[in-house]
Amino acid sequence: MKIKTFLFCNESSFNESIKSIERDCKKGETKVIIKHEIITRNDVIHLLLDWIRPLKDHYSQGAARLMLGDTSAHYSESSAYMEGYSRVLWGLGPLFSQKNQTLSTAVLAEMAEWKELVLRGLVNGTDPEHEEYWKDVGDYDQKMVEMAAIVNTLLLSQETLWEPLTAAQKQNIYQWLNQINTHEVYANNWRFFRILVNMFFVKTGFAYDEKRMEEDWAVIEGCYEGEGWYFDGHSGQKDYYIPFAMHYYGLLYAAYMKDIEPERCSVLRHRAENFLGDFLYWFDCDGREVPFGRSLTYRFAHSAFFSAMAFSGAEADMSVLKHMVLGNLRYWSSQPMFDNGGIMTIGYQYPNLIMSERYNAPGSPYWSFKTFLALALPEEHAFWQCEECGPSFETIRFLEKPNMIAVHENQGHTLLYPAGQHSSNFGNTAAKYQKFVYSSLFGFSIPRGVELEDGAFDSTLAVTAAGENKWHMRNGEAWYEITRQYIRMQYEPVKGVKVKTVIVPLRVGHMRIHLIQSAIDAEYADGGFAIRTEQQGQEMKQDMVCLTGNEVKCVFPWGNAGAICMSGMGKPRLVRPFPNTNIMYGSTVIPTMYYHLCAGTHCIADYFYGDGCFLENGKLVTLPQFINRKDNEKITVEILYEEEKIVIEF
């Protein structure tokens, strides 16, 4: 099979490439790899169309269902098909909203075909007499989630999508959407779906449920903690649902209702403006995010907040917003997130069901299209006219509301050190929220079992009773605290083993000190970053790995990672976890410090580092000093790093 790679730089190359793609694909001879320059609004339009073009063959005859695979979610297959239809609208709705007069005739014709398909699916899906009717809505129904994309699309393009409908078709849409007002909705970001549906009724002159809206706003207000930060129905959960759900929907409301509810809309914009300063620290200077928490299969939805800021008219530097949106799209456009048929897969940097949640159906990843809201801004808008400018960062930043310390190391390495984060069990949530550190370059790993290799215990302390080989990391804390210099926590990873851990983020790498009080003999694996074992044809070789008395380090052509025992009791190991456990790389190794300790009290300390640090002749330029003192049962540790001294008492 031939492989063709196209770089679209202008309209001419786009049109010629499309002709070539169509010609060769009809012969079944060509696999197409599309690369883009992503600089202008038209570049983003081409990207969107290229990503949705493979979907056309997977719509049902009535276009109300998009069937993309055979894996399952906790909701029905019919709801999954409806979800597939709806989620593509997060991209198409903004695209349809503008005249797009600078596009070629061929592209405009393709857009017209998509518009016909969208309308046909909407009319059929809401017609109770049609065989592709989306069915009635029940309590806590997944279809409630998908209503938001539909009402947003109709509001963005009322003249071309809503007005041409017949009175009967409009009534069917209203009746189907209005079911959300007669059923129970989760007390989290889901309340925004009912708010947005009722907002649509307000804007189109239908009867709306004012009482429900006020109930839902009360829930949203109860999730607000100040300084721009919400939680998503659970006070211990501060993840990407805050920007791409709570704020995103609030900013949509602020844009549409600014003349009807100016005071509420002003509050929503102001909160987003306050949130922006903290949230930027979850990204590197090129717009690449730190993978953390659940729903990572939504990928570039992480930058949707920046599009919503621009769309809503919130006060922010447009050059920074543009850079974060386009930079994030550039990053994701180069990742292998599509299958050979061009369908976006469940996974993160590559297809991976191991890291999925129970609510991930085949069409779910297209929720990422929320970032394309920027296309609802016309070409002459300041967002598209300004020059991009990346944000400037402090090296170490204390983020009080999400209980994190963010670090921006050298060479673009961005890290988040969280505490107190937890979530309901949607699938491997301990690994997604409770590792000691999350990295933009190394990601994190998801367990496939409880042995050391299949557990893939990177960036955490794993414990097993001696000889059992049943390893566990922490899942919750008895208590924690976070300061500007360090994070402390206490937890019991296995019965009989209590651990007090202090994490000290440094400008390069971080220190971990564990005070262990154990009633049993146990083994401990203090895992570092999971580093990939190959890249672009280069493979890890034995001479690239060094294990000495107190250190294990990997110095690969594509990066480095290592662990150093600072307490004198650890033995270096290079753990080879099962394949496909890391969310970014299929094959990795984990530099690890191993301990076998008898029952009693022990204080151990390790230093971990990875890309972003400078090596000279394979050695770190700067290495922290660790001092451990015990006085009348009180343990005091000191960490000396560069000109800084950090003192911690246990």
Side-chain angles (χ1 to χ4, degrees), residues 159-460:
E159 290 185 10
T160 57
L161 293 179
W162 178 248
E163 295 305 331
L165 298 174
T166 67
Q169 290 168 341
K170 291 179 180 178
Q171 187 64 29
N172 281 342
I173 293 171
Y174 170 72
Q175 293 292 350
W176 187 80
L177 291 171
N178 194 44
Q179 293 177 88
I180 198 172
N181 284 320
T182 61
H183 289 88
E184 296 303 312
V185 180
Y186 292 116
N188 55 15
N189 77 87
W190 278 46
R191 293 303 180 102
F192 263 120
F193 305 137
R194 190 155 60 191
I195 288 170
L196 293 176
V197 167
N198 280 293
M199 177 194 73
F200 172 72
F201 296 159
V202 170
K203 298 287 289 186
T204 52
F206 283 99
Y208 68 98
D209 195 325
E210 185 176 2
K211 182 180 178 182
R212 282 295 200 187
M213 286 189 80
E214 290 308 312
E215 289 175 1
D216 296 337
W217 277 120
V219 170
I220 298 300
E221 288 302 308
C223 293
Y224 186 66
E225 292 191 339
E227 298 179 31
W229 280 91
Y230 293 89
F231 59 84
D232 182 29
H234 191 296
S235 60
Q237 191 172 330
K238 305 287 198 319
D239 54 24
Y240 284 102
Y241 274 85
I242 311 310
F244 66 36
M246 303 297 275
H247 276 299
Y248 188 91
Y249 304 134
L251 289 169
L252 286 181
Y253 192 91
Y256 292 125
M257 298 291 283
K258 59 185 177 182
D259 295 329
I260 299 173
E261 289 189 81
E263 185 174 345
R264 191 195 300 274
C265 294
S266 177
V267 168
L268 293 170
R269 287 192 299 270
H270 182 64
R271 289 177 179 177
E273 291 160 6
N274 285 343
F275 176 77
L276 176 64
D278 277 355
F279 183 53
L280 283 169
Y281 275 83
W282 291 23
F283 292 77
D284 69 13
C285 57
D286 292 324
R288 177 178 179 175
E289 77 274 13
V290 176
F292 163 76
R294 65 189 177 104
S295 295
L296 293 178
T297 197
Y298 300 153
R299 296 175 171 110
F300 51 95
H302 296 144
S303 60
F305 169 77
F306 305 119
S307 291
M309 285 282 287
F311 177 74
S312 71
E315 290 290 329
D317 186 335
M318 284 293 168
S319 61
V320 172
L321 297 182
K322 181 179 182 180
H323 182 73
M324 301 310 286
V325 171
L326 300 191
N328 196 247
L329 286 174
R330 289 183 196 111
Y331 169 69
W332 282 107
S333 68
S334 67
Q335 302 308 314
M337 58 180 175
F338 297 98
D339 65 19
N340 287 338
I343 306 301
M344 195 181 300
T345 58
I346 297 171
Y348 186 63
Q349 198 157 285
Y350 63 95
N352 189 337
L353 283 174
I354 297 172
M355 54 78 66
S356 67
E357 285 87 22
R358 63 189 183 198
Y359 50 81
N360 293 162
S364 296
Y366 288 92
W367 215 61
S368 57
F369 279 13
K370 294 167 85 171
T371 296
F372 287 115
L373 182 61
L375 291 177
L377 302 172
E379 184 71 40
E380 61 271 16
H381 192 278
F383 179 89
W384 296 111
Q385 293 299 314
C386 69
E387 295 291 327
E388 292 182 46
C389 179
S392 58
F393 296 112
E394 302 170 23
T395 302
I396 300 179
R397 173 74 170 252
F398 173 50
L399 305 178
E400 182 178 5
K401 287 297 181 181
N403 301 322
M404 292 177 178
I405 296 175
V407 178
H408 283 70
E409 289 187 356
N410 305 316
Q411 303 174 14
H413 190 194
T414 305
L415 307 105
L416 296 178
Y417 296 84
Q421 291 278 357
H422 52 101
S423 168
S424 299
N425 183 20
F426 296 106
N428 283 312
T429 48
K432 295 171 183 176
Y433 289 89
Q434 297 193 23
K435 298 289 177 84
F436 294 139
V437 59
Y438 292 85
S439 160
S440 64
L441 296 183
F442 298 100
F444 63 92
S445 301
I446 299 292
R448 294 180 62 174
V450 296
E451 296 187 5
L452 193 58
E453 288 75 20
D454 58 6
F457 296 105
D458 60 342
S459 298
T460 192

Side-chain angles (χ1 to χ4, degrees), residues 41 45 48 88-101 103 108 111-112 114-115 118 149-162 248 252 256 311 372-381 384:
R41 184 175 180 276
I45 291 173
L48 170 62
V88 181
L89 299 184
W90 286 118
L92 286 174
L95 177 61
F96 295 156
S97 71
Q98 301 300 312
K99 296 186 183 300
N100 303 307
Q101 294 175 327
L103 294 172
L108 291 173
M111 287 174 53
W114 277 106
K115 191 174 293 185
V118 165
I150 292 172
V151 299
N152 184 56
T153 297
L154 292 175
L155 286 174
L156 284 171
S157 305
Q158 288 193 56
E159 290 185 10
T160 57
L161 293 179
W162 178 248
Y248 188 91
L252 286 181
Y256 292 125
F311 177 74
F372 287 115
L373 182 61
L375 291 177
L377 302 172
E379 184 71 40
E380 61 271 16
H381 192 278
W384 296 111

Side-chain angles (χ1 to χ4, degrees), residues 493-514:
V494 299
K495 188 175 182 179
V497 178
K498 293 183 178 179
V499 183
K500 293 180 180 178
T501 292
V502 177
I503 308 295
V504 184
L506 303 171
R507 283 176 286 280
V508 174
H510 66 278
M511 281 286 300
R512 300 180 200 164
I513 304 99
H514 307 290

